[in-house]
Amino acid sequence: MLEDSGFVEVGIGDAVDTFGGARGEEQARNFEVYGYAFLARRADG
């Protein structure tokens, strides 16, 4: 999807537990929800 939007050199970081200690933590665990960092640059930049 990022490449289709004109980004190149797309990197995806490791999974991060973004819901630890949050009110929705149990639901996040049930659905295996994690956050990921993305790093990319525009092809024209």
Side-chain angles (χ1 to χ4, degrees):
M1 179 194 281
L2 288 172
E3 284 118 349
D4 291 341
S5 299
F7 289 93
V8 296
E9 297 178 18
V10 176
I12 304 171
D14 296 331
V16 176
D17 177 9
T18 57
F19 285 94
R23 196 170 43 174
E25 180 177 4
E26 184 178 334
Q27 292 153 330
R29 298 284 169 267
N30 291 336
F31 291 98
E32 299 181 8
V33 175
Y34 297 97
Y36 295 87
F38 293 88
L39 181 64
R41 68 175 184 84
R42 292 283 304 184
D44 58 2

